[in-house]
Amino acid sequence: MILPSETASSSTKPAEVRMEVRRLRKVFADDPRPALALLDSGASKAEVLRRLNVNVGVVDASFDIRAGEIFVIMGLSGSGKSTMVRLLNRLIEPSGGDIRLDGRNLTRLPKRDLVEVLRRDMSMVFQSFALLPNRSALENAAFGLEVAGVDKATRRDAALRALEQVGLGAYAARYPRELSGGMQQRVGLARALAKNPTIMLMDEAFSALDPLIRTEMQNELLRLQREQARTIVFISHDAEEAMRIADRIAVMEDGRIVQIGTPAEILREPADDYVRAFFRGVDSSRVLRARDLARCDGTTVLLEDSDDRRPALRRLSELGAGYGYVRDPSGRFRGILSRDGADLLAVEPAAGDAPVHALLRRVATSPCPLPVVDGEGLFLGVVSRAALLETLDRGGLGDG
Ligand SMILES: Nc1ncnc2c1ncn2[C@@H]1O[C@H](COP(=O)(O)OP(=O)(O)OP(=O)(O)O)[C@@H](O)[C@H]1O
Ligand SMILES: [Mg+2]
């Protein structure tokens, strides 16, 4: 059986939406109407500034943020990232549009109810650590709870737990000046975690850190995320960082979202030159996984497993194919059947989650495209040398 060209994708369960953002807009003007009207007529941010002297923050943004994902917002300086994230918790009032959290429209909520929602569900981490110099790490970590009016014993417990989560349990009594930059940022993170929020908004939270500590903090975040999946909106202007931590990335340009997708989707199909330029130089072999490249195309022969090999061999010969990929009735990969042998070749398939760079050698030396399976052993497709070269070429080794 030859399948038409298709992408073999794993079964993805539909993710629950936590935040729905619809037609969100922000212009910085006392009366937003003229600027919004101009934007609606298709004017750019630069035109609005020139004609009305109004600064545009966000233009008509619609997207969903899913429960448990790390949603990264990227874009050049001034593209509207901070404005966007501050709109999400109404630190900045929108000029138009809706933001729903778990179905509740935050934009319509009276201030008092909003404060309650924010206190319960959201924390924000800023780029500057914003620690109070004359308070200990513990007191700093407890600060958000203190502002929220939580009693002393409860907030000390929560703050200590948060400090322990970020590996600073032993430093609770230390003052910020006694801590390194990375440790101070951890205290900032602990302050956000102490509230045990279900949503964390992080605005360039790691940008001030040097590269090694930054990687360490990214790992820390990913580790925490594995333990207790929160919904995280993370702003970054660093392509490597975004690719590393994001479940999905939104790319902003001049107040607009120009593309939303998984790191693999964005690397493989950047929406335009702006997006392409952003991710140029990112080593796609470290971002893409075997499952991202796994395909069945016109040359991939799929065979059914059976004790009697003759029908399958006959099929190979009819098709003039040298080999085929054998699956059992539930779709599990069993091996490769070659036309000149009656036994299955026991080829070790690649795991769908394996990064592409770990496959280079096997794909290069394998006599046939490498089969890829998911965690249950289900056949996802094959990675051919051509597919691999094309991917590497697009990922910055070529001129992109
Ligand atoms: N309070 C404000 N008043 C007027 N204009 C503002 C205000 N805050 C932001 N802006 C404008 O909104 C636009 C987006 O700014 P924003 O801070 O959201 O960008 P950013 O993507 O976070 O940039 P950076 O990477 O430098 O932090 C800019 O043109 C900025 O000048
Ligand atoms: Mg910013």
Side-chain angles (χ1 to χ4, degrees):
M1 170 183 43
I2 299 186
L3 288 185
S5 183
E6 66 167 23
T7 307
S9 66
S10 62
S11 57
T12 41
K13 54 179 185 300
E16 179 198 337
V17 171
R18 287 225 58 199
M19 291 192 101
E20 281 169 79
V21 176
R22 292 294 175 271
R23 298 219 61 196
L24 188 62
R25 293 174 297 168
K26 178 64 189 181
V27 295
F28 294 95
D30 292 337
D31 179 4
R33 285 170 300 184
L36 291 177
L38 200 55
L39 285 171
D40 284 344
S41 74
S44 69
K45 169 176 164 135
E47 264 176 283
V48 174
L49 184 62
R50 187 163 41 85
R51 287 175 52 185
L52 300 175
N53 194 29
V54 167
N55 241 333
V56 174
V58 168
V59 184
D60 208 358
S62 297
F63 56 94
D64 291 337
I65 298 173
R66 300 171 189 157
E69 79 173 331
I70 300 186
F71 186 87
V72 173
I73 302 178
M74 293 199 69
L76 292 178
S77 181
S79 58
K81 307 178 297 293
S82 294
T83 306
M84 180 74 89
V85 82
R86 284 169 167 76
L87 286 167
L88 294 183
N89 64 2
R90 277 181 61 189
L91 267 182
I92 296 180
E93 283 298 323
S95 308
D98 292 307
I99 301 163
R100 286 199 168 72
L101 172 63
D102 302 326
R104 270 178 111 188
N105 195 335
L106 294 187
T107 37
R108 306 276 160 80
L109 231 46
K111 206 79 192 187
R112 192 196 317 156
D113 296 347
L114 177 72
V115 167
E116 189 50 42
V117 169
L118 297 183
R119 188 159 76 191
R120 209 185 41 230
D121 285 322
M122 288 200 209
S123 281
M124 187 145 175
V125 187
F126 298 91
Q127 170 173 3
S128 57
F129 322 135
L131 300 184
L132 302 163
N134 52 358
R135 294 195 180 202
S136 67
L138 185 70
E139 288 161 341
N140 267 290
F143 186 66
L145 294 170
E146 185 180 337
V147 172
V150 173
D151 71 82
K152 191 161 182 182
T154 310
R155 64 181 194 247
R156 284 182 69 92
D157 279 354
L160 193 57
R161 215 168 331 121
L163 283 175
E164 276 160 7
Q165 279 180 47
V166 300
L168 287 183
Y171 292 83
R174 302 280 157 203
Y175 287 84
R177 62 170 183 280
E178 302 175 280
L179 305 175
S180 72
M183 290 160 103
Q184 290 181 43
Q185 186 58 287
R186 279 169 199 262
V187 176
L189 186 58
R191 175 188 287 174
L193 290 170
K195 278 173 66 180
N196 197 17
T198 59
I199 298 186
M200 289 221 290
L201 306 176
M202 306 179 71
D203 189 353
E204 309 253 11
F206 302 156
S207 297
L209 305 175
D210 71 44
L212 272 182
I213 297 176
R214 188 169 175 161
T215 310
E216 205 177 283
M217 289 298 291
Q218 291 163 2
N219 290 340
E220 193 71 36
L221 187 72
L222 291 172
R223 187 185 62 75
L224 287 170
Q225 193 63 357
R226 276 194 296 275
E227 282 169 11
Q228 35 194 183
R230 295 188 168 85
T231 304
I232 297 179
V233 183
F234 190 103
I235 294 183
S236 178
H237 57 239
D238 184 275
E240 299 271 356
E241 179 170 78
M243 288 283 155
R244 208 153 168 249
I245 65 170
D247 291 301
R248 291 188 307 147
I249 298 174
V251 186
M252 292 190 72
E253 178 183 19
D254 289 341
R256 292 176 199 274
I257 292 184
V258 288
Q259 185 168 16
I260 296 182
T262 63
E265 283 164 356
I266 288 186
L267 269 190
R268 279 165 51 175
E269 279 172 60
D272 59 19
D273 288 342
Y274 173 82
V275 179
R276 187 171 297 123
F278 232 109
F279 296 100
R280 182 169 293 146
V282 167
D283 180 356
S284 55
S285 77
R286 290 182 185 273
V287 175
L288 298 176
R289 316 248 143 209
R291 67 168 72 247
D292 297 320
L293 265 59
R295 291 265 183 295
C296 291
D297 65 19
T299 64
T300 314
V301 179
L302 299 177
L303 301 167
E304 275 169 33
D305 195 20
S306 153
D307 290 339
D308 182 3
R309 300 274 176 234
R310 283 171 303 180
L313 289 168
R314 210 161 36 238
R315 182 122 198 90
L316 285 177
S317 123
E318 274 163 26
L319 294 167
Y323 51 84
Y325 297 84
V326 179
R327 300 181 303 177
D328 71 13
S330 54
R332 282 187 176 71
F333 175 71
R334 299 304 310 269
I336 293 176
L337 185 66
S338 128
R339 208 160 109 190
D340 30 273
D343 277 333
L344 287 187
L345 304 173
V347 172
E348 182 65 32
D353 287 334
V356 166
H357 74 89
L359 305 179
L360 297 180
R361 199 183 173 78
R362 291 194 60 199
V363 173
T365 55
S366 166
C368 56
L370 193 64
V372 180
V373 298
D374 72 4
E376 261 96 64
L378 295 178
F379 181 76
L380 297 176
V382 301
V383 177
S384 67
R385 249 171 273 180
L388 191 63
L389 281 174
E390 197 197 335
T391 303
L392 295 180
D393 186 42
R394 250 190 280 165
L397 292 181
D399 58 9

